[in-house]
Amino acid sequence: MFFLATAIVFTACKKDDKTPVLDITATVNPAWVKAPAPDTHYILVQDLADVVLADFEWTEVVYAISDLPAPLYTLQLLFTEVDSTGSHWGETVDLFTTSEKMISLTYGTLNKNILGEIGSDFSADTVVTVGFRLKANVNANDVSSYVDAFSEIVSVTVTPYTSGGVDYPSLYVPGGYQGWSPGTAPQVFDFNGDGIYTGYVYFPEGSLEFKFTNQPDWDGTNYGAGATEFALDIEPTAGNLMVPEAGGYQLEINTNDLTWNYGDGVQNWGVIGQWLDWASDIDMIYYPELQELSVTVENIPAAADQRFKFRANDDWAVNLGANDPDDGFLVQGGADIPIPDGGTITMTLKFTTPEPSYSWRAE
């Protein structure tokens, strides 16, 4: 009996010894296809918090064993530290984990993670050296099962902003289109401090009346209809303002002379691009809770130089392209905006910054 038990134990041990072992030295690490150029200096701007700052693309990690689980990739942010041995990479923060081979990083995400390391008490000219690195692993449920594979580190410098940022004066635009609730209404902004507020608001069919308020309730100054078409009245009994038809409008209110207007009239926005032969638009949807227009376009054909722009009313009279140099802002007649070579892309347009701003991301 003793000899049989010994034989069983011995057989089990021999079976474990035959389990394949991952030789990390035979691994082909992921390599950058697209990443910030080394020694780039980014100046972060809170107005562009939702705008894409940099795109990262990479090659697939390749292991020397077949039939492994699908790899996961983690974009890491590294910080420098100095000790008795000199300056070297120290603290590491994981930004995103994905099974894809592309990630878009926004101004706001990078700023938030930098502040999480250095804190928000710093001078306006603080420059931080950080690195970006890609970590690959083949097991989503047990990351310790296999040794991580890493890309090269790309080192850049960054000037972050405090969490306060610029707080532009604003007015609320409650109306029938959103239940006459000032606290949840879109806003128009005074970007220049001159008492003139501007912003984009979309009015659906059948809900064209509204007012302006200076508080997220009805207890402050409310701006209603005056004696003439574009005059304002701050009396509580003043009537409602109205746009002529359903659609989006660039509203402007001048609190100095109590006037308002809606610019060139209705502006319904769409995206147009190379894959559409620059001939037809895809309509964007306005999301009042985010105060932005957005559209997701699927099956964009693969091409190395796919580009797009935003335009109003299916016409080139009002078209917005990238500023020069491209900084996340848009200008009338600006440059075509480059996107990856095909796939599914979500494009976003905002009028809550001093100049219209945009972002896009690959799904």
Side-chain angles (χ1 to χ4, degrees):
M1 183 68 69
F2 172 80
F3 294 105
L4 177 60
T6 302
I8 292 173
V9 172
F10 179 78
T11 301
C13 291
K14 293 300 289 182
K15 182 177 181 181
D16 286 346
D17 287 345
K18 295 180 181 179
T19 300
V21 177
L22 179 62
D23 180 6
I24 198 66
T25 63
T27 299
V28 179
N29 289 354
W32 294 118
V33 173
K34 186 176 183 181
D39 301 322
T40 297
H41 183 197
Y42 289 118
I43 299 177
L44 305 185
V45 181
Q46 185 169 20
D47 285 341
L48 301 177
D50 296 328
V51 173
V52 172
L53 173 70
D55 293 312
F56 297 82
E57 297 181 40
W58 54 89
T59 60
E60 186 173 4
V61 61
V62 179
Y63 295 101
I65 294 179
S66 60
D67 300 324
L68 291 175
L72 286 179
Y73 302 95
T74 301
L75 180 63
Q76 295 184 317
L77 181 66
L78 291 79
F79 294 86
T80 57
E81 63 180 38
V82 180
D83 55 25
S84 58
T85 65
S87 178
H88 56 88
W89 296 113
E91 185 70 21
T92 301
V93 175
D94 291 347
L95 297 178
F96 300 97
T97 297
T98 178
S99 59
E100 304 296 327
K101 295 189 289 298
M102 177 181 177
I103 285 175
S104 295
L105 178 67
T106 65
Y107 282 75
T109 297
L110 179 56
N111 195 79
K112 178 182 70 175
N113 282 278
I114 289 177
L115 293 190
E117 178 66 18
I118 70 172
S120 58
D121 184 17
F122 59 89
S123 62
D125 58 352
T126 296
V127 177
V128 182
T129 298
V130 299
F132 294 109
R133 180 177 66 180
L134 197 70
K135 179 181 75 174
N137 194 283
V138 293
N139 195 320
N141 300 312
D142 183 6
V143 296
S144 64
S145 295
Y146 298 103
V147 179
D148 295 325
F150 295 96
S151 71
E152 293 183 350
I153 297 174
V154 177
S155 176
V156 302
T157 54
V158 181
T159 300
Y161 59 81
T162 62
S163 57
V166 179
D167 186 15
Y168 295 108
S170 66
L171 299 176
Y172 300 85
V173 193
Y177 68 100
Q178 54 85 235
W180 293 101
S181 173
T184 59
Q187 295 166 273
V188 291
F189 300 89
D190 179 1
F191 296 114
N192 299 317
D194 56 4
I196 299 175
Y197 297 74
T198 59
Y200 182 89
V201 178
Y202 184 87
F203 297 90
E205 195 72 46
S207 301
L208 306 181
E209 295 187 349
F210 67 98
K211 284 189 172 182
F212 297 102
T213 70
N214 72 340
Q215 294 184 183
D217 52 45
W218 294 104
D219 299 330
T221 302
N222 305 318
Y223 300 85
T228 58
E229 182 180 10
F230 291 110
L232 294 171
D233 192 329
I234 60 174
E235 289 296 322
T237 57
N240 298 331
L241 304 169
M242 182 182 291
V243 291
E245 60 179 304
Y249 291 84
Q250 295 283 355
L251 299 181
E252 179 179 285
I253 170 175
N254 188 326
T255 58
N256 304 303
D257 60 12
L258 292 182
T259 60
W260 75 286
N261 67 73
Y262 46 77
D264 296 326
V266 66
Q267 289 185 350
N268 293 312
W269 288 90
V271 296
I272 188 168
Q274 177 186 337
W275 72 98
L276 300 167
D277 294 327
W278 301 102
S280 60
D281 298 68
I282 299 176
D283 294 337
M284 305 187 76
I285 299 173
Y286 179 71
Y287 295 91
E289 68 280 6
L290 301 174
Q291 205 156 347
E292 67 183 28
L293 296 116
S294 182
V295 64
T296 298
V297 182
E298 299 179 343
N299 300 319
I300 297 177
D305 57 350
Q306 289 285 19
R307 297 171 180 270
F308 77 100
K309 297 183 80 170
F310 303 94
R311 72 175 189 174
N313 303 333
D314 302 316
D315 190 87
W316 289 106
V318 181
N319 74 91
L320 299 178
N323 194 17
D324 186 21
D326 180 14
D327 54 8
F329 287 121
L330 296 162
V331 293
Q332 167 65 15
D336 299 343
I337 303 167
I339 52 176
D341 56 348
T344 299
I345 306 293
T346 296
M347 307 162 197
T348 301
L349 171 61
K350 286 192 172 187
F351 294 96
T352 54
T353 50
E355 298 293 337
S357 58
Y358 74 94
S359 63
W360 62 262
R361 69 178 185 273
E363 299 295 329

